[in-house]
Amino acid sequence: MAKLTHFDEAGQARMVDVSDKAETARTAVAEGHVTMSADTLALVTRGTAEKGDVLGIARIAGITGAKRTSDLIPLCHPLPVTKVAVDLVPDPGMPGVRITATVRTSGRTGVEMEALTAVSAAALTIYDMLKAAQKDMEIGGIRLLSKEGGKSGPWSRT
Amino acid sequence: MAKLTHFDEAGQARMVDVSDKAETARTAVAEGHVTMSADTLALVTRGTAEKGDVLGIARIAGITGAKRTSDLIPLCHPLPVTKVAVDLVPDPGMPGVRITATVRTSGRTGVEMEALTAVSAAALTIYDMLKAAQKDMEIGGIRLLSKEGGKSGPWSRT
Amino acid sequence: MAKLTHFDEAGQARMVDVSDKAETARTAVAEGHVTMSADTLALVTRGTAEKGDVLGIARIAGITGAKRTSDLIPLCHPLPVTKVAVDLVPDPGMPGVRITATVRTSGRTGVEMEALTAVSAAALTIYDMLKAAQKDMEIGGIRLLSKEGGKSGPWSRT
Amino acid sequence: MAKLTHFDEAGQARMVDVSDKAETARTAVAEGHVTMSADTLALVTRGTAEKGDVLGIARIAGITGAKRTSDLIPLCHPLPVTKVAVDLVPDPGMPGVRITATVRTSGRTGVEMEALTAVSAAALTIYDMLKAAQKDMEIGGIRLLSKEGGKSGPWSRT
Amino acid sequence: MAKLTHFDEAGQARMVDVSDKAETARTAVAEGHVTMSADTLALVTRGTAEKGDVLGIARIAGITGAKRTSDLIPLCHPLPVTKVAVDLVPDPGMPGVRITATVRTSGRTGVEMEALTAVSAAALTIYDMLKAAQKDMEIGGIRLLSKEGGKSGPWSRT
Amino acid sequence: MAKLTHFDEAGQARMVDVSDKAETARTAVAEGHVTMSADTLALVTRGTAEKGDVLGIARIAGITGAKRTSDLIPLCHPLPVTKVAVDLVPDPGMPGVRITATVRTSGRTGVEMEALTAVSAAALTIYDMLKAAQKDMEIGGIRLLSKEGGKSGPWSRT
């Protein structure tokens, strides 16, 4: 059975030692969404076109959230990200907003957690800005799409 | 159509003025989950019973995450929470871990965002600790279950 | 000669004791500006109308900056702000961007520093977003316009 | 017309990708000032010589502020600064205090924002410590003096 | 045997619910020290009198550290402190520096942790500033001296 | 007499310039303890075996505390740690809990302060969780055990 690297032989938590890993280029892409009623989504799309830029603010929250990853997740290594991009696309078929975050760094550990945290922060911010209109929105589908770099090589969700 | 309180008449973002609202007791409960394979869930449940306490660490991350809410969400009011509890229950039928967070304060705004952020931080931490074993876990079902307090009165998901 | 409240009789710094002050409604308004060339300002105004929303992002930075005030300024009391609004107006005559921040709380100390910090964070963010186009922009005119609340009563710049 | 690097082709904000830039030595120097009455400045200079060290505390605030730069400015890359020095000089002719900050790092992006943030944090702290004596002080003249390192080469204000 | 309030009946950690406690005036005083050689202490006392103000900087670190308490200690309630004072006294007999911190708030929980954290942050900062001169200094004697306020009433170390 | 590197020739504080130091592997080990009554220690050891995991939570606080070091200590360089491990051992002979922290990085400055901060944060968290049972616990013996890396070479407490 797989071993969890965040615990030592005695089962005690630790920040995994990555000191001897090579610094390589790392990329991770993650996605997620916020589902809402068509009426609520109309507030978003109307706002983007016209005024009240929900998606613009959520994008900033995603980017700044990525920078807070190691503050939020106890055993996560701090690392200086070199790129964060957050895409937010209204999806009338859902209805809701689809979120994709891409994070890069040159470092000793991957940036999966940074990409997932960017998606989460953007989703929470969308919820916050729309909660006066609808309380039963739902955040979901938060998952890693792909990662590159490091000894384990590239990985893509199939 | 509903108006978004986070924007003024000109569509510019602001932190909503709650200065004149009464300080009342506020409670919010939110939930979410992380789905994973049965093998990965076995690592969690084995660890809790024996060693490598994934859920204990995720619980702490949820509690500390609730304290960071206004740092993560741009237009969220800062407020001193007076209670945070995070429940984490392995669900073999899913398979995965179910997360519930309860937050209280005495303040001028609700604590929905604090409860949702606690769930998100706990979920991200679970992902972080298990990602060496499985990369395609998924975080979902993050939503408000109920809130109490304030002028708008109690609300429950139906 | 006036005494500095941030020092005790021996000249040692302290966070002033406000425990026995009444909790009253407090408001502060501050302003500032970023001067730049007409060409750089055109990038801002074009962007606001069309794409690349410099002012929208600076507004968010001002609001989140207000929440960080007691983190940045050593002897500043932490206090939960109840309103933050940041106005950003392109001024072709300057040329540059004028910034005004309004902050409210119900507390034992004033929110002048929160308003001044909001202006500063918005100004720095404008600089950051435009520095690829112009390096010799200048941030200035950061000052308190008015304050209300507390024992000392209302004050306005004359 | 110049392009703003913080926005993509569609005008959406992003943290610029610097992953492929070389790590080089970077230096930036910025300045600013706080103007005040001669009486208020006397409180500062008297304090420095004797007791109540306003400038010593503002210097610390400038140094710690530089470390918070990427927390305050949404699209700013986090980077580990390797030197921060903040000089504070009373100027009776102004009257006021002149602030100069020098920041260095070895990294993929420049440290202009760190130097400007150090100046801003020091200026705000001076205001905070003296505001009991004078409310209409003004912070101004915050600008970049020089930068070195990176592909664009050295730059100096002329 | 005493029960630990930070755990529920199932032994799971939580932030204790203080929502229904009254807001009362709370004070806590804590102390600690850093022991060092007489030569190292001479660097401190010489600096205070003349240049290189180790104690002034440690005092600021203690005050700002008190404001970070709930960031550092997972189950600690966030609360806005209304006074922080940190006294630092060189003790040639030790030799070393004695640290005392006094913290006040009006709140639902005590400020013992804030006072102890202020002492710890000041002590660590003293160590940091002197470590070039002596590596085997020791931080110790960190303990609560007294507390007041709240249902449990005043307590003093005997 | 030794010079303090954190001050320039004029005695003004600065963050020491380490830009030209080589990036080398750095390790530091620090220790400390919390003394308490045998009854209080029994609450810890019973909890670890059974429920209410005081040591598990203190371990997380130590690890996250190490990541906050440059936030807490004014002149400390920020650096991305690559390993943090915190060991907590109940010592019935003391009685109390012994804490050891090991921190690694690859960087231009040592990680002594990170190791000492990890110990301090773990100790404060132990105090926080047990203070309902005993108020006169004491934190002490916080000191560096060894360091490796950098120009000054290895050092061990003798």
Side-chain angles (χ1 to χ4, degrees):
Chain A
M1 197 176 258
K3 282 187 39 174
L4 298 183
T5 52
H6 277 307
F7 297 97
D8 65 16
E9 315 258 301
Q12 298 192 337
R14 60 182 176 187
M15 184 191 289
V16 179
D17 190 353
V18 299
S19 315
D20 299 327
K21 289 191 176 184
E23 265 203 19
T24 63
R26 313 269 181 164
T27 306
V29 184
E31 69 171 8
H33 58 249
V34 186
T35 55
M36 56 191 70
S37 71
D39 278 1
T40 304
L41 185 59
L43 291 170
V44 175
T45 50
R46 197 182 54 167
T48 303
E50 185 186 325
K51 60 178 187 174
D53 185 9
V54 171
L55 300 187
I57 295 170
R59 192 179 298 116
I60 296 301
I63 293 170
T64 56
K67 294 195 270 187
R68 297 284 159 75
T69 303
S70 74
D71 258 7
L72 267 190
I73 304 178
L75 302 181
C76 202
H77 294 84
L79 50 78
V81 293
T82 52
K83 173 195 170 166
V84 185
V86 177
D87 285 312
L88 295 155
V89 180
D91 179 343
M94 183 178 272
V97 177
R98 295 191 178 279
I99 305 164
T100 312
T102 305
V103 179
R104 295 188 68 188
T105 198
S106 169
R108 291 180 173 79
T109 52
V111 283
E112 300 99 296
M113 295 319 302
E114 280 74 10
L116 291 162
T117 301
V119 169
S120 298
L124 288 165
T125 299
I126 290 173
Y127 187 98
D128 180 46
M129 303 191 78
L130 298 171
K131 70 182 193 294
Q134 184 185 356
K135 286 186 181 54
D136 59 357
M137 288 174 289
E138 186 170 321
I139 296 170
I142 298 178
R143 56 192 198 172
L144 188 65
L145 287 182
S146 66
K147 66 179 296 256
E148 273 179 68
K151 214 173 90 184
S152 65
W155 177 90
S156 275
R157 195 176 187 88
T158 48
Chain B
M1 196 176 259
K3 281 189 38 177
L4 298 183
T5 53
H6 278 305
F7 297 98
D8 65 17
E9 314 257 303
Q12 298 192 335
R14 59 184 177 186
M15 185 191 287
V16 180
D17 190 352
V18 299
S19 314
D20 300 327
K21 288 191 174 184
E23 266 203 19
T24 63
R26 314 268 180 163
T27 307
V29 184
E31 68 171 8
H33 58 250
V34 185
T35 55
M36 57 192 70
S37 71
D39 277 2
T40 305
L41 185 59
L43 291 170
V44 175
T45 50
R46 196 182 55 167
T48 303
E50 184 186 323
K51 61 179 186 170
D53 185 8
V54 171
L55 300 186
I57 294 170
R59 192 179 297 116
I60 296 301
I63 292 170
T64 56
K67 294 194 271 187
R68 298 283 160 76
T69 302
S70 74
D71 257 8
L72 266 190
I73 303 178
L75 303 181
C76 202
H77 294 84
L79 50 77
V81 294
T82 53
K83 173 195 169 165
V84 185
V86 178
D87 283 313
L88 295 154
V89 181
D91 178 343
M94 183 176 272
V97 177
R98 295 190 177 281
I99 306 165
T100 311
T102 304
V103 179
R104 295 189 68 187
T105 197
S106 169
R108 290 179 174 81
T109 52
V111 283
E112 299 98 299
M113 295 319 303
E114 279 74 10
L116 290 162
T117 301
V119 170
S120 298
L124 288 165
T125 299
I126 289 172
Y127 187 97
D128 180 47
M129 302 191 78
L130 297 172
K131 70 181 193 293
Q134 183 185 356
K135 286 184 182 55
D136 60 356
M137 289 175 287
E138 186 171 321
I139 297 171
I142 298 179
R143 55 193 200 172
L144 189 65
L145 287 182
S146 66
K147 65 180 296 257
E148 273 180 68
K151 215 173 91 185
S152 67
W155 176 89
S156 274
R157 193 176 189 90
T158 48
Chain C
M1 197 175 256
K3 282 188 36 178
L4 298 184
T5 52
H6 278 307
F7 297 98
D8 64 18
E9 315 257 303
Q12 298 193 335
R14 58 181 178 188
M15 184 191 288
V16 179
D17 190 352
V18 299
S19 315
D20 300 326
K21 290 191 173 183
E23 267 202 19
T24 63
R26 314 268 181 163
T27 306
V29 184
E31 68 171 8
H33 57 248
V34 186
T35 55
M36 58 191 69
S37 71
D39 277 2
T40 304
L41 185 59
L43 290 170
V44 175
T45 49
R46 197 181 56 167
T48 303
E50 184 188 323
K51 61 180 185 172
D53 185 9
V54 171
L55 300 186
I57 294 170
R59 192 179 296 116
I60 295 301
I63 293 170
T64 56
K67 295 195 270 186
R68 297 283 159 76
T69 303
S70 73
D71 257 7
L72 267 190
I73 303 177
L75 302 181
C76 202
H77 294 85
L79 49 78
V81 294
T82 54
K83 173 195 169 165
V84 185
V86 178
D87 284 313
L88 295 155
V89 181
D91 178 342
M94 183 176 272
V97 177
R98 294 191 179 280
I99 307 165
T100 312
T102 306
V103 179
R104 296 188 67 188
T105 197
S106 169
R108 289 179 174 81
T109 52
V111 283
E112 300 97 300
M113 296 318 303
E114 280 74 10
L116 291 162
T117 302
V119 170
S120 299
L124 289 166
T125 299
I126 289 172
Y127 187 97
D128 180 47
M129 303 190 78
L130 297 171
K131 70 181 193 293
Q134 183 185 357
K135 285 184 181 56
D136 59 357
M137 289 174 288
E138 186 170 321
I139 297 171
I142 299 179
R143 54 193 201 172
L144 188 65
L145 287 181
S146 66
K147 65 178 298 255
E148 274 179 68
K151 215 173 90 185
S152 66
W155 178 89
S156 275
R157 193 176 188 88
T158 48
Chain D
M1 194 176 259
K3 282 187 41 176
L4 298 183
T5 52
H6 277 307
F7 297 97
D8 64 18
E9 314 258 302
Q12 298 192 336
R14 59 182 177 187
M15 184 192 287
V16 180
D17 190 352
V18 299
S19 315
D20 300 326
K21 288 191 175 183
E23 267 202 18
T24 63
R26 314 268 182 164
T27 306
V29 184
E31 69 172 6
H33 57 248
V34 186
T35 55
M36 57 192 68
S37 71
D39 278 2
T40 304
L41 185 59
L43 291 170
V44 175
T45 50
R46 197 182 53 169
T48 303
E50 186 186 323
K51 60 179 185 173
D53 185 8
V54 171
L55 300 187
I57 295 171
R59 192 178 297 116
I60 296 300
I63 293 170
T64 57
K67 294 194 270 186
R68 296 285 159 76
T69 303
S70 74
D71 257 7
L72 268 189
I73 303 178
L75 302 181
C76 203
H77 294 84
L79 49 80
V81 293
T82 52
K83 173 194 170 168
V84 185
V86 179
D87 284 313
L88 295 154
V89 180
D91 178 344
M94 183 176 273
V97 178
R98 294 191 179 280
I99 306 164
T100 312
T102 305
V103 179
R104 294 188 69 188
T105 197
S106 169
R108 291 180 173 80
T109 52
V111 283
E112 300 98 297
M113 296 318 304
E114 280 73 10
L116 291 162
T117 301
V119 170
S120 298
L124 289 165
T125 299
I126 289 172
Y127 187 99
D128 181 46
M129 302 192 78
L130 297 172
K131 70 182 194 292
Q134 183 185 355
K135 285 184 182 56
D136 58 358
M137 288 173 288
E138 186 171 321
I139 297 170
I142 299 178
R143 55 192 199 171
L144 188 64
L145 288 181
S146 66
K147 65 180 296 256
E148 274 178 69
K151 216 173 88 185
S152 65
W155 177 90
S156 274
R157 194 178 189 88
T158 48
Chain E
M1 197 176 258
K3 281 188 39 176
L4 298 183
T5 53
H6 277 306
F7 297 98
D8 65 17
E9 315 257 301
Q12 299 191 335
R14 59 182 178 187
M15 185 191 288
V16 179
D17 191 353
V18 298
S19 315
D20 300 327
K21 289 191 175 184
E23 265 202 20
T24 63
R26 313 269 181 163
T27 306
V29 184
E31 68 171 9
H33 57 250
V34 185
T35 55
M36 58 192 69
S37 71
D39 277 1
T40 304
L41 184 59
L43 290 170
V44 175
T45 51
R46 196 183 54 166
T48 302
E50 185 187 324
K51 60 180 187 170
D53 185 8
V54 171
L55 299 187
I57 295 170
R59 193 180 296 116
I60 296 300
I63 292 171
T64 56
K67 295 195 270 187
R68 297 283 160 76
T69 303
S70 74
D71 257 8
L72 266 190
I73 303 177
L75 302 181
C76 201
H77 294 84
L79 50 78
V81 293
T82 53
K83 174 196 170 164
V84 185
V86 178
D87 285 313
L88 295 154
V89 180
D91 178 343
M94 182 176 271
V97 177
R98 295 192 177 279
I99 306 165
T100 312
T102 306
V103 179
R104 295 189 66 188
T105 198
S106 168
R108 290 180 174 81
T109 51
V111 283
E112 300 98 298
M113 296 319 303
E114 279 75 9
L116 291 162
T117 301
V119 170
S120 298
L124 288 165
T125 299
I126 289 172
Y127 187 98
D128 180 47
M129 303 191 78
L130 298 172
K131 70 182 193 292
Q134 183 185 356
K135 287 185 180 56
D136 60 356
M137 288 174 288
E138 185 170 322
I139 298 170
I142 299 178
R143 54 192 201 173
L144 188 65
L145 287 182
S146 66
K147 65 180 295 257
E148 273 180 68
K151 217 173 88 184
S152 67
W155 177 90
S156 274
R157 194 176 188 90
T158 47
Chain F
M1 195 176 256
K3 282 187 40 174
L4 297 184
T5 53
H6 279 305
F7 298 98
D8 65 17
E9 313 258 302
Q12 298 192 335
R14 59 182 177 186
M15 185 191 288
V16 180
D17 190 353
V18 299
S19 314
D20 299 326
K21 289 192 175 182
E23 267 202 18
T24 62
R26 313 268 182 164
T27 306
V29 184
E31 69 171 7
H33 58 249
V34 186
T35 56
M36 57 191 69
S37 71
D39 278 1
T40 304
L41 185 59
L43 290 170
V44 175
T45 50
R46 196 183 55 168
T48 303
E50 184 187 324
K51 61 179 187 173
D53 185 8
V54 171
L55 300 187
I57 294 170
R59 192 179 297 117
I60 296 299
I63 292 170
T64 57
K67 294 195 270 186
R68 297 285 159 75
T69 303
S70 73
D71 259 6
L72 267 190
I73 303 177
L75 302 180
C76 201
H77 294 84
L79 50 78
V81 292
T82 52
K83 174 194 169 167
V84 185
V86 178
D87 284 313
L88 296 154
V89 180
D91 177 344
M94 183 176 273
V97 177
R98 295 190 178 280
I99 306 165
T100 311
T102 305
V103 179
R104 295 188 68 188
T105 197
S106 169
R108 290 180 174 79
T109 51
V111 283
E112 300 98 297
M113 296 318 305
E114 281 73 10
L116 291 162
T117 302
V119 169
S120 298
L124 289 165
T125 299
I126 290 172
Y127 187 98
D128 180 46
M129 303 192 78
L130 297 172
K131 71 182 192 292
Q134 184 185 355
K135 286 184 183 55
D136 59 357
M137 289 174 289
E138 186 170 321
I139 297 170
I142 299 178
R143 55 192 199 172
L144 188 65
L145 289 181
S146 66
K147 67 179 294 256
E148 273 179 69
K151 214 173 90 185
S152 66
W155 177 89
S156 275
R157 194 177 189 88
T158 47

